[in-house]
Amino acid sequence: MHVLLANAYAAAGRYEDAAKARKMLRDRGVKKETGLSWVEQGNCVHTFAAGDRRHPISGEIYRKLKELGEEMERAGYVADTSFVLREVGSDEKNQAIRYHSERLAIAFGLITFPPERPIRVMKNLRVCGDCHTAIKFMSKCTGRVIIVRDNNRFHRFEDGKCSCGDYW
C-alpha cells in the first residue's frame, strides 16, 4: 500500500510526500519489487532490468534501441514521461523511460531472433502506458510480432496494434 501511496503522490507532483512514503518503506525494511523482463533463446533465459547494462551484448542492445527510437519518432511516437515517477528533468525522464526492461528484451529479440519468429517477452510487473505505446510503434516499424506477458494479461502487438485494444 505504501508503494501505491508513494506512486500516487509522485504522479500528482507531490514529491516530498512521495519521499516520505518511500522513507517509511525503507524504515520498515520493505523493498519494491524490481521490474524484470525476460526472453528465452534456446535453453537460455535472458533477463533484463530497467537501465541494465550487464548483458554480454548490451552495447548492441542500446544501439538497436537508439536506432529504433529514431525510426519510431519519425513515425510519430512521442514519449509520455508522465509515467516516470521521479522529480527529474525532462531529458532525464526521456532517458529513464527509454530503457525499461521490456524494451531491452525486445531489442535483444530483434537482434538475435530470426525475422519470422515472434518475440515473446515475459514481465513480472505491469507494462507502463508509455511502453505499451512504444511497443505498438516497435511492431509497426520492424514488421515483427511482439508478444508481452505482463502480470495482468497477454499483449500481442502486430502492425502497430495490440490485442488488448489498449485496455490493459
Side-chain angles (χ1 to χ4, degrees):
M1 295 302 281
H2 287 91
V3 172
L4 292 174
L5 181 63
N7 287 348
Y9 280 144
R14 294 173 56 183
Y15 297 110
E16 286 183 26
D17 292 326
K20 288 177 188 173
R22 283 192 299 274
K23 182 182 181 325
M24 199 178 325
L25 284 170
R26 279 192 305 278
D27 292 347
R28 294 180 181 185
V30 178
K31 292 185 178 187
K32 283 175 67 171
E33 184 175 4
T34 300
L36 298 173
S37 295
W38 56 95
V39 293
E40 291 183 32
Q41 181 188 38
N43 292 329
C44 187
V45 175
H46 297 265
T47 305
F48 301 90
D52 195 352
R53 291 191 180 265
R54 294 173 297 162
H55 196 277
I57 66 164
S58 67
E60 287 180 66
I61 291 169
Y62 277 76
R63 278 190 295 281
K64 183 61 152 179
L65 280 177
K66 184 177 186 322
E67 169 190 304
L68 184 56
E70 290 167 357
E71 188 176 344
M72 290 163 49
E73 286 173 3
R74 285 192 299 273
Y77 169 72
V78 177
D80 181 354
T81 59
S82 68
F83 292 96
V84 179
L85 301 177
R86 294 179 297 177
E87 188 176 16
V88 293
S90 63
D91 287 342
E92 286 181 75
K93 284 186 178 191
N94 273 322
Q95 287 300 107
I97 210 158
R98 186 176 300 248
Y99 301 113
H100 278 180
S101 64
E102 56 270 47
R103 296 187 195 205
L104 297 172
I106 291 166
F108 173 81
L110 290 169
I111 293 165
T112 61
F113 296 172
E116 67 280 358
R117 178 180 168 188
I119 298 168
R120 291 181 178 87
V121 177
M122 301 292 286
K123 183 164 176 62
N124 66 331
L125 301 176
R126 193 166 174 228
V127 175
C128 82
D130 181 69
C131 284
H132 190 270
T133 299
I135 299 168
K136 289 193 301 185
F137 275 91
M138 289 175 172
S139 72
K140 180 82 170 170
C141 291
T142 63
R144 299 289 293 264
V145 173
I146 303 169
I147 300 165
V148 179
R149 172 62 173 147
D150 67 11
N151 71 348
N152 198 37
R153 71 181 67 228
F154 279 95
H155 301 267
R156 185 178 193 278
F157 298 90
E158 186 172 11
D159 195 32
K161 297 179 182 78
C162 181
S163 60
C164 76
D166 294 338
Y167 179 78
W168 84 108

